[in-house]
Amino acid sequence: MKAVTSHKSLLLLLLALTFWIVFAVFQNSTKIWAVFTLPVSLNHWKYDMKPSCPEIPLNPSASPTKTELRVRKVLEKLEQQIPRRPVTRFSTTTSAAHSTATVLNPRRTYCVGDQLDVLLEARDHLGRRKKYGGDFLRARMSSPALKAGASGKVTDFNNGTYLVSFTLFWEGRVFLSVLLIHPSEGVSALWRARNKAYDRVIFTGHFVNSTSQVYTDCALALNSSVELCQYVDAQDQEAFYCVKPPHVPCAALTHMHSKNNNVSYLSKQERHLFERSNVGVEIMAKSNVISVSKCNTEKAIPKEKCKLGMVSTIPSGHVWKNIWNPVSCSLAPVKTKDCLRGKLIYLLGDSTIRQWIEYFKTTISTLRPVDLQETGKLQHQLFVDLDGELNIQWQKHSYPLIGSLVYSVKEIESIARIIDRTGGGENTIIVISVGQHFRPFPINVFIQRALNIHKAVQRLLMRSPDTVVIIKTENIREMYNDAERFSDFLGYTQYLVLKDIFQDLNVGIIDAWDITIAYGTNDVHPPQHVVENQINVFLNYIC
């Protein structure tokens, strides 16, 4: 009798346990199903028509993900380099005219290979010594007659003094320059304003409704009180939003364009700092010309050929007779077509890397375009050379993509997803360039994008370690063009982020930032001879 009772009790217990498990699974079925339906690589954008959060939200109250923690870590490191100096009066900000530059240990003649140091003392508009650093300076030496140039290294002592160091790479008459791009107070204002909002650029989405088009506002962040279309990369948790047009599905989004929004997060006093007369002002107006001779008779030590994984120095090289010469390695003459024979080349990113495919089009006469049925300046471009077994393509990066011209988003894809669906191999080369389109938005957007690309490159190199991956950093751009959105200070922070994030991978770095400073281009799209020299570094990496 006792045995029967025990058997019944055990049965009841098992039934209760089964009921509890079924209930628990039912309650969590949505989460479990979401895990099994995450896209692998090809389904890069998920359409969501609900006005709520993305299907897989970044819940602020939940524990931060590894990516979020890494974003915070990179941001904290960057924050340490940003001054916190509010503008009280314009007269107390750094003045180039009142600041002094003193050449240390001056000589009548210098020798090629010497280092020349300049001590800079920052002063305000009343002539008083500044007691803190943080000014955004650009140092450059040049010899226009020789078509020569190089950047200088700036060391900030955080007490109002700076050491500017020039390596004297060539002989002749050399002009020294130190520009005050922005005073520390301007840097502080730009940093605060940058991270305040996402609405400096207005995106307009084009939705096709049968034969007509409907236009709505789109952005990286939108008011969630209206019904939104959410274009979510579920793997990397990056999203872009559009106001949902009535009676039109979110999948009907076909094109996009943008324009600058008439907003500013700078005060009137702060905006005064970015007027043309206060940007890029020369500090070394006097005694800025030196004579350099080839007085060292020692033979130069041969440098090894440029290769992947080499650490970039400051300066990373110099221009002489319009040719770029790296400091840490040597560039050999390379025949472009022979070097690229049998290669599959992906150029991924913005219009500064699109300049590369335009260069290849003009220099390799046997390249033929493949019609991919796209239109507009930002269309995916593919060129093949059947004789040379060469395949070169350029593809734009995903949102944010700023442009007043209308561009197609039907096939828009993140760089990380493109890399994930790439097989790789010794004849596969991937060149990545991102940055310019991120300048008007909070820095965490760029940090997350860079980290997601880094993870994709890491996965690629694990499965195909002989794939060549090259990161091209940003070019400097026009100095007086809308500082709140496009200042080179904003680009410089991204340049630091990119170098920090990719330092642990065996990738090539083309330091376009330093190259374009050396050439003194101040143009987001530098002349062809500058692009050619960037490509020459690329060719030396792969051949």
Side-chain angles (χ1 to χ4, degrees), residues 24-54:
V25 169
F26 179 78
Q27 288 289 93
N28 291 282
S29 61
T30 305
K31 292 179 183 176
I32 293 170
W33 183 247
V35 171
F36 284 101
T37 56
L38 286 177
V40 180
S41 62
L42 295 179
N43 300 325
H44 41 276
W45 291 109
K46 177 181 283 187
Y47 300 119
D48 183 4
M49 293 175 278
K50 290 183 283 187
S52 56
C53 296

mmCIF file of all heavy atoms in Angstrom, residues 24-54:
data_model
loop_
_atom_site.group_PDB
_atom_site.id
_atom_site.type_symbol
_atom_site.label_atom_id
_atom_site.label_comp_id
_atom_site.label_asym_id
_atom_site.label_seq_id
_atom_site.Cartn_x
_atom_site.Cartn_y
_atom_site.Cartn_z
ATOM 1 N N ALA A 24 7.153 27.661 -18.465
ATOM 2 C CA ALA A 24 8.362 28.505 -18.573
ATOM 3 C C ALA A 24 8.794 28.675 -20.031
ATOM 4 O O ALA A 24 9.153 29.760 -20.471
ATOM 5 C CB ALA A 24 9.514 27.899 -17.752
ATOM 6 N N VAL A 25 8.766 27.578 -20.792
ATOM 7 C CA VAL A 25 9.166 27.643 -22.212
ATOM 8 C C VAL A 25 8.218 28.547 -22.985
ATOM 9 O O VAL A 25 8.622 29.359 -23.811
ATOM 10 C CB VAL A 25 9.189 26.219 -22.827
ATOM 11 C CG1 VAL A 25 9.324 26.306 -24.352
ATOM 12 C CG2 VAL A 25 10.338 25.415 -22.239
ATOM 13 N N PHE A 26 6.878 28.395 -22.683
ATOM 14 C CA PHE A 26 5.886 29.234 -23.360
ATOM 15 C C PHE A 26 6.140 30.712 -23.097
ATOM 16 O O PHE A 26 6.075 31.546 -23.982
ATOM 17 C CB PHE A 26 4.481 28.842 -22.883
ATOM 18 C CG PHE A 26 3.412 29.690 -23.525
ATOM 19 C CD1 PHE A 26 3.000 29.453 -24.835
ATOM 20 C CD2 PHE A 26 2.840 30.747 -22.821
ATOM 21 C CE1 PHE A 26 2.035 30.240 -25.421
ATOM 22 C CE2 PHE A 26 1.864 31.536 -23.404
ATOM 23 C CZ PHE A 26 1.466 31.285 -24.704
ATOM 24 N N GLN A 27 6.466 31.034 -21.831
ATOM 25 C CA GLN A 27 6.714 32.429 -21.451
ATOM 26 C C GLN A 27 7.915 33.001 -22.188
ATOM 27 O O GLN A 27 7.970 34.167 -22.504
ATOM 28 C CB GLN A 27 6.968 32.528 -19.932
ATOM 29 C CG GLN A 27 5.736 32.327 -19.082
ATOM 30 C CD GLN A 27 4.796 33.508 -19.205
ATOM 31 O OE1 GLN A 27 3.904 33.489 -20.039
ATOM 32 N NE2 GLN A 27 4.996 34.537 -18.418
ATOM 33 N N ASN A 28 8.922 32.169 -22.435
ATOM 34 C CA ASN A 28 10.168 32.667 -23.039
ATOM 35 C C ASN A 28 10.288 32.296 -24.513
ATOM 36 O O ASN A 28 11.357 32.414 -25.094
ATOM 37 C CB ASN A 28 11.386 32.103 -22.288
ATOM 38 C CG ASN A 28 11.494 32.685 -20.894
ATOM 39 O OD1 ASN A 28 11.941 33.808 -20.733
ATOM 40 N ND2 ASN A 28 11.073 31.929 -19.898
ATOM 41 N N SER A 29 9.185 31.823 -25.096
ATOM 42 C CA SER A 29 9.267 31.349 -26.475
ATOM 43 C C SER A 29 9.731 32.431 -27.442
ATOM 44 O O SER A 29 10.442 32.170 -28.386
ATOM 45 C CB SER A 29 7.908 30.796 -26.928
ATOM 46 O OG SER A 29 6.936 31.818 -26.873
ATOM 47 N N THR A 30 9.291 33.665 -27.212
ATOM 48 C CA THR A 30 9.686 34.761 -28.110
ATOM 49 C C THR A 30 11.193 34.940 -28.110
ATOM 50 O O THR A 30 11.833 35.095 -29.137
ATOM 51 C CB THR A 30 9.019 36.075 -27.660
ATOM 52 O OG1 THR A 30 7.609 35.857 -27.604
ATOM 53 C CG2 THR A 30 9.323 37.200 -28.638
ATOM 54 N N LYS A 31 11.794 34.902 -26.899
ATOM 55 C CA LYS A 31 13.253 35.087 -26.798
ATOM 56 C C LYS A 31 13.987 33.927 -27.455
ATOM 57 O O LYS A 31 14.969 34.102 -28.153
ATOM 58 C CB LYS A 31 13.666 35.204 -25.322
ATOM 59 C CG LYS A 31 13.162 36.483 -24.672
ATOM 60 C CD LYS A 31 13.577 36.515 -23.214
ATOM 61 C CE LYS A 31 13.010 37.747 -22.514
ATOM 62 N NZ LYS A 31 13.310 37.769 -21.097
ATOM 63 N N ILE A 32 13.495 32.698 -27.210
ATOM 64 C CA ILE A 32 14.162 31.525 -27.762
ATOM 65 C C ILE A 32 14.083 31.549 -29.278
ATOM 66 O O ILE A 32 15.053 31.315 -29.982
ATOM 67 C CB ILE A 32 13.526 30.230 -27.193
ATOM 68 C CG1 ILE A 32 13.837 30.131 -25.692
ATOM 69 C CG2 ILE A 32 14.042 28.995 -27.934
ATOM 70 C CD1 ILE A 32 13.074 29.055 -24.977
ATOM 71 N N TRP A 33 12.880 31.894 -29.805
ATOM 72 C CA TRP A 33 12.718 31.951 -31.260
ATOM 73 C C TRP A 33 13.629 33.002 -31.871
ATOM 74 O O TRP A 33 14.204 32.797 -32.940
ATOM 75 C CB TRP A 33 11.261 32.234 -31.588
ATOM 76 C CG TRP A 33 10.997 32.244 -33.065
ATOM 77 C CD1 TRP A 33 10.650 33.294 -33.826
ATOM 78 C CD2 TRP A 33 11.094 31.125 -33.951
ATOM 79 N NE1 TRP A 33 10.512 32.920 -35.140
ATOM 80 C CE2 TRP A 33 10.779 31.594 -35.253
ATOM 81 C CE3 TRP A 33 11.409 29.782 -33.776
ATOM 82 C CZ2 TRP A 33 10.774 30.768 -36.358
ATOM 83 C CZ3 TRP A 33 11.402 28.949 -34.883
ATOM 84 C CH2 TRP A 33 11.094 29.442 -36.149
ATOM 85 N N ALA A 34 13.779 34.136 -31.164
ATOM 86 C CA ALA A 34 14.646 35.203 -31.680
ATOM 87 C C ALA A 34 16.072 34.712 -31.827
ATOM 88 O O ALA A 34 16.771 35.064 -32.769
ATOM 89 C CB ALA A 34 14.602 36.414 -30.744
ATOM 90 N N VAL A 35 16.549 33.906 -30.889
ATOM 91 C CA VAL A 35 17.911 33.380 -30.950
ATOM 92 C C VAL A 35 18.097 32.529 -32.193
ATOM 93 O O VAL A 35 19.105 32.608 -32.892
ATOM 94 C CB VAL A 35 18.229 32.550 -29.681
ATOM 95 C CG1 VAL A 35 19.551 31.818 -29.848
ATOM 96 C CG2 VAL A 35 18.275 33.458 -28.467
ATOM 97 N N PHE A 36 17.110 31.716 -32.527
ATOM 98 C CA PHE A 36 17.240 30.815 -33.662
ATOM 99 C C PHE A 36 16.991 31.483 -35.010
ATOM 100 O O PHE A 36 17.281 30.898 -36.032
ATOM 101 C CB PHE A 36 16.283 29.624 -33.502
ATOM 102 C CG PHE A 36 16.798 28.618 -32.495
ATOM 103 C CD1 PHE A 36 16.298 28.595 -31.205
ATOM 104 C CD2 PHE A 36 17.797 27.723 -32.841
ATOM 105 C CE1 PHE A 36 16.782 27.676 -30.285
ATOM 106 C CE2 PHE A 36 18.282 26.804 -31.918
ATOM 107 C CZ PHE A 36 17.772 26.785 -30.634
ATOM 108 N N THR A 37 16.435 32.690 -35.007
ATOM 109 C CA THR A 37 16.152 33.352 -36.281
ATOM 110 C C THR A 37 17.083 34.520 -36.576
ATOM 111 O O THR A 37 16.838 35.287 -37.486
ATOM 112 C CB THR A 37 14.690 33.867 -36.314
ATOM 113 O OG1 THR A 37 14.488 34.727 -35.202
ATOM 114 C CG2 THR A 37 13.703 32.737 -36.303
ATOM 115 N N LEU A 38 18.172 34.673 -35.828
ATOM 116 C CA LEU A 38 19.139 35.722 -36.144
ATOM 117 C C LEU A 38 19.765 35.451 -37.505
ATOM 118 O O LEU A 38 20.132 34.319 -37.806
ATOM 119 C CB LEU A 38 20.251 35.768 -35.081
ATOM 120 C CG LEU A 38 19.871 36.371 -33.744
ATOM 121 C CD1 LEU A 38 21.046 36.277 -32.791
ATOM 122 C CD2 LEU A 38 19.428 37.802 -33.882
ATOM 123 N N PRO A 39 19.896 36.472 -38.357
ATOM 124 C CA PRO A 39 20.486 36.245 -39.676
ATOM 125 C C PRO A 39 21.965 35.919 -39.564
ATOM 126 O O PRO A 39 22.650 36.393 -38.664
ATOM 127 C CB PRO A 39 20.274 37.592 -40.383
ATOM 128 C CG PRO A 39 20.146 38.578 -39.285
ATOM 129 C CD PRO A 39 19.506 37.853 -38.134
ATOM 130 N N VAL A 40 22.471 35.108 -40.493
ATOM 131 C CA VAL A 40 23.881 34.741 -40.479
ATOM 132 C C VAL A 40 24.710 35.817 -41.152
ATOM 133 O O VAL A 40 25.575 36.420 -40.552
ATOM 134 C CB VAL A 40 24.079 33.384 -41.200
ATOM 135 C CG1 VAL A 40 25.556 33.006 -41.195
ATOM 136 C CG2 VAL A 40 23.275 32.305 -40.492
ATOM 137 N N SER A 41 24.451 36.103 -42.433
ATOM 138 C CA SER A 41 25.227 37.165 -43.072
ATOM 139 C C SER A 41 24.478 37.874 -44.186
ATOM 140 O O SER A 41 24.620 39.057 -44.359
ATOM 141 C CB SER A 41 26.536 36.591 -43.625
ATOM 142 O OG SER A 41 26.240 35.618 -44.607
ATOM 143 N N LEU A 42 23.669 37.164 -44.925
ATOM 144 C CA LEU A 42 23.084 37.781 -46.112
ATOM 145 C C LEU A 42 21.873 38.641 -45.808
ATOM 146 O O LEU A 42 21.644 39.646 -46.465
ATOM 147 C CB LEU A 42 22.704 36.685 -47.127
ATOM 148 C CG LEU A 42 23.896 35.902 -47.692
ATOM 149 C CD1 LEU A 42 23.405 34.835 -48.651
ATOM 150 C CD2 LEU A 42 24.857 36.827 -48.403
ATOM 151 N N ASN A 43 21.074 38.260 -44.809
ATOM 152 C CA ASN A 43 19.881 39.056 -44.483
ATOM 153 C C ASN A 43 20.285 40.200 -43.568
ATOM 154 O O ASN A 43 20.017 40.187 -42.380
ATOM 155 C CB ASN A 43 18.819 38.177 -43.807
ATOM 156 C CG ASN A 43 18.380 37.045 -44.710
ATOM 157 O OD1 ASN A 43 18.315 37.222 -45.913
ATOM 158 N ND2 ASN A 43 18.108 35.893 -44.145
ATOM 159 N N HIS A 44 20.964 41.189 -44.159
ATOM 160 C CA HIS A 44 21.619 42.194 -43.333
ATOM 161 C C HIS A 44 20.684 43.226 -42.739
ATOM 162 O O HIS A 44 20.972 43.768 -41.698
ATOM 163 C CB HIS A 44 22.721 42.886 -44.141
ATOM 164 C CG HIS A 44 22.339 43.190 -45.541
ATOM 165 N ND1 HIS A 44 22.443 42.248 -46.538
ATOM 166 C CD2 HIS A 44 21.845 44.309 -46.109
ATOM 167 C CE1 HIS A 44 22.042 42.789 -47.681
ATOM 168 N NE2 HIS A 44 21.669 44.023 -47.452
ATOM 169 N N TRP A 45 19.566 43.550 -43.404
ATOM 170 C CA TRP A 45 18.633 44.525 -42.827
ATOM 171 C C TRP A 45 17.309 43.843 -42.538
ATOM 172 O O TRP A 45 16.760 43.141 -43.357
ATOM 173 C CB TRP A 45 18.394 45.700 -43.781
ATOM 174 C CG TRP A 45 19.596 46.565 -43.940
ATOM 175 C CD1 TRP A 45 20.374 46.666 -45.035
ATOM 176 C CD2 TRP A 45 20.173 47.422 -42.958
ATOM 177 N NE1 TRP A 45 21.401 47.542 -44.809
ATOM 178 C CE2 TRP A 45 21.307 48.014 -43.538
ATOM 179 C CE3 TRP A 45 19.851 47.758 -41.634
ATOM 180 C CZ2 TRP A 45 22.114 48.914 -42.870
ATOM 181 C CZ3 TRP A 45 20.661 48.658 -40.973
ATOM 182 C CH2 TRP A 45 21.770 49.213 -41.588
ATOM 183 N N LYS A 46 16.778 44.102 -41.360
ATOM 184 C CA LYS A 46 15.472 43.557 -40.980
ATOM 185 C C LYS A 46 14.490 44.714 -40.942
ATOM 186 O O LYS A 46 14.735 45.742 -40.326
ATOM 187 C CB LYS A 46 15.569 42.911 -39.592
ATOM 188 C CG LYS A 46 14.233 42.388 -39.101
ATOM 189 C CD LYS A 46 14.373 41.794 -37.715
ATOM 190 C CE LYS A 46 15.004 40.438 -37.765
ATOM 191 N NZ LYS A 46 15.000 39.787 -36.451
ATOM 192 N N TYR A 47 13.355 44.575 -41.640
ATOM 193 C CA TYR A 47 12.329 45.619 -41.644
ATOM 194 C C TYR A 47 11.391 45.412 -40.465
ATOM 195 O O TYR A 47 10.878 44.329 -40.253
ATOM 196 C CB TYR A 47 11.514 45.579 -42.946
ATOM 197 C CG TYR A 47 12.348 45.781 -44.172
ATOM 198 C CD1 TYR A 47 12.429 44.789 -45.150
ATOM 199 C CD2 TYR A 47 13.056 46.960 -44.348
ATOM 200 C CE1 TYR A 47 13.190 44.984 -46.283
ATOM 201 C CE2 TYR A 47 13.816 47.162 -45.480
ATOM 202 C CZ TYR A 47 13.887 46.174 -46.445
ATOM 203 O OH TYR A 47 14.633 46.365 -47.565
ATOM 204 N N ASP A 48 11.131 46.459 -39.736
ATOM 205 C CA ASP A 48 10.238 46.397 -38.588
ATOM 206 C C ASP A 48 9.310 47.595 -38.653
ATOM 207 O O ASP A 48 9.764 48.724 -38.667
ATOM 208 C CB ASP A 48 11.071 46.418 -37.289
ATOM 209 C CG ASP A 48 10.195 46.293 -36.058
ATOM 210 O OD1 ASP A 48 8.978 46.113 -36.231
ATOM 211 O OD2 ASP A 48 10.738 46.379 -34.946
ATOM 212 N N MET A 49 7.999 47.344 -38.698
ATOM 213 C CA MET A 49 7.047 48.435 -38.903
ATOM 214 C C MET A 49 6.385 48.892 -37.619
ATOM 215 O O MET A 49 5.443 49.648 -37.639
ATOM 216 C CB MET A 49 5.994 48.006 -39.925
ATOM 217 C CG MET A 49 6.593 47.828 -41.311
ATOM 218 S SD MET A 49 5.419 47.181 -42.503
ATOM 219 C CE MET A 49 5.475 45.437 -42.153
ATOM 220 N N LYS A 50 6.853 48.401 -36.496
ATOM 221 C CA LYS A 50 6.234 48.794 -35.231
ATOM 222 C C LYS A 50 6.823 50.106 -34.746
ATOM 223 O O LYS A 50 8.002 50.367 -34.926
ATOM 224 C CB LYS A 50 6.456 47.694 -34.180
ATOM 225 C CG LYS A 50 5.643 46.436 -34.481
ATOM 226 C CD LYS A 50 5.833 45.404 -33.401
ATOM 227 C CE LYS A 50 7.163 44.701 -33.530
ATOM 228 N NZ LYS A 50 7.313 43.595 -32.598
ATOM 229 N N PRO A 51 6.012 50.944 -34.064
ATOM 230 C CA PRO A 51 6.521 52.231 -33.598
ATOM 231 C C PRO A 51 7.305 52.122 -32.300
ATOM 232 O O PRO A 51 7.672 53.112 -31.726
ATOM 233 C CB PRO A 51 5.235 53.042 -33.385
ATOM 234 C CG PRO A 51 4.202 52.032 -33.076
ATOM 235 C CD PRO A 51 4.565 50.808 -33.850
ATOM 236 N N SER A 52 7.540 50.924 -31.854
ATOM 237 C CA SER A 52 8.260 50.742 -30.586
ATOM 238 C C SER A 52 9.743 50.579 -30.856
ATOM 239 O O SER A 52 10.245 50.926 -31.903
ATOM 240 C CB SER A 52 7.709 49.510 -29.858
ATOM 241 O OG SER A 52 7.815 48.391 -30.705
ATOM 242 N N CYS A 53 10.454 49.973 -29.905
ATOM 243 C CA CYS A 53 11.895 49.785 -30.044
ATOM 244 C C CYS A 53 12.191 48.693 -31.065
ATOM 245 O O CYS A 53 11.309 47.922 -31.429
ATOM 246 C CB CYS A 53 12.504 49.384 -28.693
ATOM 247 S SG CYS A 53 12.336 50.684 -27.481
ATOM 248 N N PRO A 54 13.460 48.558 -31.535
ATOM 249 C CA PRO A 54 13.809 47.460 -32.428
ATOM 250 C C PRO A 54 13.488 46.113 -31.786
ATOM 251 O O PRO A 54 13.415 45.994 -30.564
ATOM 252 C CB PRO A 54 15.324 47.629 -32.609
ATOM 253 C CG PRO A 54 15.565 49.068 -32.355
ATOM 254 C CD PRO A 54 14.562 49.471 -31.316
#
